[in-house]
PDB file of all heavy atoms in Angstrom:
ATOM      1  N   LEU A 277     -12.966  57.632 -36.358  1.00  0.00           N
ATOM      2  CA  LEU A 277     -14.388  57.605 -36.059  1.00  0.00           C
ATOM      3  C   LEU A 277     -14.977  56.426 -36.839  1.00  0.00           C
ATOM      4  O   LEU A 277     -14.837  56.363 -38.065  1.00  0.00           O
ATOM      5  CB  LEU A 277     -15.045  58.918 -36.493  1.00  0.00           C
ATOM      6  CG  LEU A 277     -16.493  59.170 -36.083  1.00  0.00           C
ATOM      7  CD1 LEU A 277     -16.620  59.270 -34.571  1.00  0.00           C
ATOM      8  CD2 LEU A 277     -17.005  60.446 -36.740  1.00  0.00           C
ATOM      9  N   ILE A 278     -15.593  55.468 -36.138  1.00  0.00           N
ATOM     10  CA  ILE A 278     -16.085  54.240 -36.764  1.00  0.00           C
ATOM     11  C   ILE A 278     -17.599  54.306 -36.912  1.00  0.00           C
ATOM     12  O   ILE A 278     -18.309  54.678 -35.977  1.00  0.00           O
ATOM     13  CB  ILE A 278     -15.709  53.004 -35.929  1.00  0.00           C
ATOM     14  CG1 ILE A 278     -14.196  52.947 -35.682  1.00  0.00           C
ATOM     15  CG2 ILE A 278     -16.185  51.735 -36.617  1.00  0.00           C
ATOM     16  CD1 ILE A 278     -13.370  52.679 -36.897  1.00  0.00           C
ATOM     17  N   ALA A 279     -18.086  53.941 -38.098  1.00  0.00           N
ATOM     18  CA  ALA A 279     -19.525  53.893 -38.350  1.00  0.00           C
ATOM     19  C   ALA A 279     -19.884  52.548 -38.970  1.00  0.00           C
ATOM     20  O   ALA A 279     -19.086  51.944 -39.691  1.00  0.00           O
ATOM     21  CB  ALA A 279     -19.957  55.030 -39.274  1.00  0.00           C
ATOM     22  N   ILE A 280     -21.084  52.077 -38.674  1.00  0.00           N
ATOM     23  CA  ILE A 280     -21.637  50.872 -39.294  1.00  0.00           C
ATOM     24  C   ILE A 280     -22.838  51.314 -40.118  1.00  0.00           C
ATOM     25  O   ILE A 280     -23.807  51.846 -39.588  1.00  0.00           O
ATOM     26  CB  ILE A 280     -22.089  49.836 -38.245  1.00  0.00           C
ATOM     27  CG1 ILE A 280     -20.977  49.551 -37.234  1.00  0.00           C
ATOM     28  CG2 ILE A 280     -22.554  48.563 -38.930  1.00  0.00           C
ATOM     29  CD1 ILE A 280     -19.774  48.851 -37.792  1.00  0.00           C
ATOM     30  N   ASN A 281     -22.760  51.127 -41.437  1.00  0.00           N
ATOM     31  CA  ASN A 281     -23.817  51.600 -42.341  1.00  0.00           C
ATOM     32  C   ASN A 281     -24.144  53.071 -42.111  1.00  0.00           C
ATOM     33  O   ASN A 281     -25.304  53.480 -42.089  1.00  0.00           O
ATOM     34  CB  ASN A 281     -25.080  50.759 -42.181  1.00  0.00           C
ATOM     35  CG  ASN A 281     -25.056  49.511 -43.048  1.00  0.00           C
ATOM     36  OD1 ASN A 281     -24.131  49.322 -43.836  1.00  0.00           O
ATOM     37  ND2 ASN A 281     -26.048  48.665 -42.897  1.00  0.00           N
ATOM     38  N   GLY A 282     -23.111  53.886 -41.923  1.00  0.00           N
ATOM     39  CA  GLY A 282     -23.306  55.318 -41.752  1.00  0.00           C
ATOM     40  C   GLY A 282     -23.671  55.730 -40.344  1.00  0.00           C
ATOM     41  O   GLY A 282     -23.692  56.926 -40.043  1.00  0.00           O
ATOM     42  N   LYS A 283     -23.947  54.783 -39.456  1.00  0.00           N
ATOM     43  CA  LYS A 283     -24.307  55.094 -38.067  1.00  0.00           C
ATOM     44  C   LYS A 283     -23.050  55.031 -37.223  1.00  0.00           C
ATOM     45  O   LYS A 283     -22.446  53.980 -37.048  1.00  0.00           O
ATOM     46  CB  LYS A 283     -25.343  54.100 -37.551  1.00  0.00           C
ATOM     47  CG  LYS A 283     -25.679  54.272 -36.068  1.00  0.00           C
ATOM     48  CD  LYS A 283     -26.686  53.229 -35.628  1.00  0.00           C
ATOM     49  CE  LYS A 283     -26.862  53.229 -34.121  1.00  0.00           C
ATOM     50  NZ  LYS A 283     -27.369  54.493 -33.592  1.00  0.00           N
ATOM     51  N   VAL A 284     -22.661  56.180 -36.684  1.00  0.00           N
ATOM     52  CA  VAL A 284     -21.441  56.251 -35.887  1.00  0.00           C
ATOM     53  C   VAL A 284     -21.590  55.371 -34.647  1.00  0.00           C
ATOM     54  O   VAL A 284     -22.586  55.438 -33.938  1.00  0.00           O
ATOM     55  CB  VAL A 284     -21.150  57.706 -35.482  1.00  0.00           C
ATOM     56  CG1 VAL A 284     -19.935  57.780 -34.573  1.00  0.00           C
ATOM     57  CG2 VAL A 284     -20.938  58.563 -36.725  1.00  0.00           C
ATOM     58  N   THR A 285     -20.590  54.545 -34.386  1.00  0.00           N
ATOM     59  CA  THR A 285     -20.660  53.633 -33.250  1.00  0.00           C
ATOM     60  C   THR A 285     -20.425  54.380 -31.946  1.00  0.00           C
ATOM     61  O   THR A 285     -19.942  55.501 -31.919  1.00  0.00           O
ATOM     62  CB  THR A 285     -19.611  52.524 -33.354  1.00  0.00           C
ATOM     63  OG1 THR A 285     -18.315  53.111 -33.283  1.00  0.00           O
ATOM     64  CG2 THR A 285     -19.748  51.760 -34.647  1.00  0.00           C
ATOM     65  N   GLN A 286     -20.772  53.732 -30.854  1.00  0.00           N
ATOM     66  CA  GLN A 286     -20.661  54.332 -29.541  1.00  0.00           C
ATOM     67  C   GLN A 286     -19.494  53.769 -28.744  1.00  0.00           C
ATOM     68  O   GLN A 286     -19.394  54.011 -27.555  1.00  0.00           O
ATOM     69  CB  GLN A 286     -21.964  54.054 -28.761  1.00  0.00           C
ATOM     70  CG  GLN A 286     -23.216  54.607 -29.429  1.00  0.00           C
ATOM     71  CD  GLN A 286     -23.235  56.114 -29.433  1.00  0.00           C
ATOM     72  OE1 GLN A 286     -22.484  56.754 -28.720  1.00  0.00           O
ATOM     73  NE2 GLN A 286     -24.092  56.702 -30.231  1.00  0.00           N
ATOM     74  N   LEU A 287     -18.615  53.030 -29.381  1.00  0.00           N
ATOM     75  CA  LEU A 287     -17.600  52.314 -28.613  1.00  0.00           C
ATOM     76  C   LEU A 287     -16.197  52.601 -29.133  1.00  0.00           C
ATOM     77  O   LEU A 287     -16.000  52.806 -30.329  1.00  0.00           O
ATOM     78  CB  LEU A 287     -17.856  50.807 -28.682  1.00  0.00           C
ATOM     79  CG  LEU A 287     -19.251  50.345 -28.270  1.00  0.00           C
ATOM     80  CD1 LEU A 287     -19.431  48.880 -28.613  1.00  0.00           C
ATOM     81  CD2 LEU A 287     -19.482  50.571 -26.800  1.00  0.00           C
ATOM     82  N   THR A 288     -15.217  52.644 -28.233  1.00  0.00           N
ATOM     83  CA  THR A 288     -13.807  52.630 -28.617  1.00  0.00           C
ATOM     84  C   THR A 288     -13.051  51.732 -27.645  1.00  0.00           C
ATOM     85  O   THR A 288     -13.636  51.159 -26.728  1.00  0.00           O
ATOM     86  CB  THR A 288     -13.166  54.036 -28.579  1.00  0.00           C
ATOM     87  OG1 THR A 288     -13.299  54.552 -27.269  1.00  0.00           O
ATOM     88  CG2 THR A 288     -13.763  54.954 -29.602  1.00  0.00           C
ATOM     89  N   GLY A 289     -11.750  51.646 -27.856  1.00  0.00           N
ATOM     90  CA  GLY A 289     -10.937  50.850 -26.955  1.00  0.00           C
ATOM     91  C   GLY A 289     -11.405  49.409 -26.902  1.00  0.00           C
ATOM     92  O   GLY A 289     -11.725  48.784 -27.905  1.00  0.00           O
TER      93      GLY A 289
END
Side-chain angles (χ1 to χ4, degrees):
L277 189 64
I278 305 292
I280 308 293
N281 274 355
K283 175 181 171 62
V284 176
T285 64
Q286 301 292 345
L287 306 170
T288 58

